[in-house]
């Protein structure tokens, strides 16, 4: 009789452990999705700001069409849906924006233009928000991935097919180098 009680108690504890572990995975996965969605909101805000920047720069740098076309092409490519694709699109847009702001150095009138300065300020704020949302996204993904890979929760992850998620990382070795500032 006591053996049966012990077995039933162990089964109940095992089921309880599984349910609590499964719910923990769902909570972490939802945090990851919410974090990416927050980052997506800031990326959309930047996406909407790009046409204003491009049109302002076009007025000053008509013959720099190639750079402007890259910015527009990078912006228009942003219709993909997976996390990996969105990260790739985001990297291309960041590179294109760097080119456009480097271009502004060649046009002192553009740098002094109030509209351009305001757009640049707005973009700087959005970029800061994007950076902060990337940090938050990576933090919650790290927690989820750790839960997927550590014992005993990795057992639940394997049974329920929870897979580690992709961190937001810089792929370009060029972007990892120190920036050289000259005056």
């Amino acid at each position: 009789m006591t053996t049966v009680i012990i077995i039933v108690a162990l089964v109940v504890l095992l089921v309880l452990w599984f349910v609590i572990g499964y719910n923990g995975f769902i909570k972490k996965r939802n945090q990851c999705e919410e974090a990416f969605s927050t980052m997506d909101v800031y990326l959309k805000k930047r996406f909407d700001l790009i046409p204003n920047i491009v049109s302002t720069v076009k007025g000053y740098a008509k013959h720099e069409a190639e750079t402007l076309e890259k910015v527009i092409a990078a912006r228009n490519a942003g219709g993909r849906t997976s996390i990996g694709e969105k990260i790739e699109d985001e990297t291309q847009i960041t590179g294109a924006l760097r080119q456009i702001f480097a271009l502004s150095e060649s046009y002192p009138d553009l740098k002094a233009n109030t509209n351009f300065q305001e757009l640049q300020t707005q973009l700087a704020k959005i970029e800061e928000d994007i950076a902060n949302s990337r940090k938050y996204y990576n933090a919650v993904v790290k927690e989820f991935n750790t839960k997927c890979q550590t014992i005993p929760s990795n057992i639940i992850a394997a049974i329920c097919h929870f897979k580690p998620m992709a961190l937001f990382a810089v792929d370009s070795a060029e972007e990892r180098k120190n920036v050289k500032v000259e005056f």
Side-chain angles (χ1 to χ4, degrees):
M1 183 72 171
T2 58
T3 308
V4 172
I5 293 173
I6 292 173
I7 291 173
V8 168
L10 286 174
V11 168
V12 167
L13 285 174
L14 189 60
V15 168
L16 187 62
W17 168 78
F18 184 84
V19 168
I20 290 170
Y22 179 82
N23 288 341
F25 273 108
I26 297 300
K27 181 180 175 184
K28 294 290 181 198
R29 184 182 66 193
N30 289 344
Q31 285 177 331
C32 292
E33 289 170 357
E34 183 268 337
F36 192 83
S37 181
T38 299
M39 184 173 30
D40 221 17
V41 167
Y42 290 120
L43 294 174
K44 171 74 169 111
K45 193 173 178 181
R46 180 179 67 180
F47 183 84
D48 292 340
L49 185 62
I50 289 173
N52 296 326
I53 292 170
V54 169
S55 65
T56 302
V57 173
K58 273 184 179 178
Y60 285 90
K62 289 184 174 128
H63 63 281
E64 299 288 354
E66 183 181 325
T67 300
L68 298 175
E69 293 301 322
K70 284 182 188 175
V71 173
I72 292 167
R75 178 193 178 267
N76 292 340
R80 302 187 300 171
T81 56
S82 79
I83 289 176
E85 290 172 333
K86 285 184 178 186
I87 289 172
E88 187 180 316
D89 290 344
E90 205 294 299
T91 303
Q92 290 175 354
I93 289 173
T94 299
L97 286 172
R98 270 198 204 106
Q99 286 182 316
I100 206 166
F101 286 115
L103 177 65
S104 73
E105 296 296 320
S106 303
Y107 296 90
D109 291 343
L110 176 59
K111 284 176 30 178
N113 180 288
T114 311
N115 291 340
F116 185 74
Q117 288 175 342
E118 176 60 28
L119 291 169
Q120 208 170 12
T121 301
Q122 287 179 27
L123 191 62
K125 173 69 174 119
I126 291 170
E127 291 296 329
E128 182 180 330
D129 292 341
I130 291 170
N132 289 334
S133 64
R134 284 179 189 156
K135 287 182 214 174
Y136 177 67
Y137 170 76
N138 279 347
V140 296
V141 166
K142 180 186 79 167
E143 289 176 15
F144 179 83
N145 290 350
T146 299
K147 191 171 179 86
C148 283
Q149 298 167 344
T150 56
I151 298 173
S153 59
N154 65 342
I155 296 167
I156 297 170
I159 292 170
C160 299
H161 307 289
F162 289 108
K163 303 286 184 214
M165 297 179 141
L167 290 166
F168 197 99
V170 177
D171 290 333
S172 167
E174 187 67 30
E175 290 184 40
R176 288 191 175 105
K177 292 180 182 177
N178 285 335
V179 177
K180 185 176 181 180
V181 179
E182 294 180 17
F183 295 100

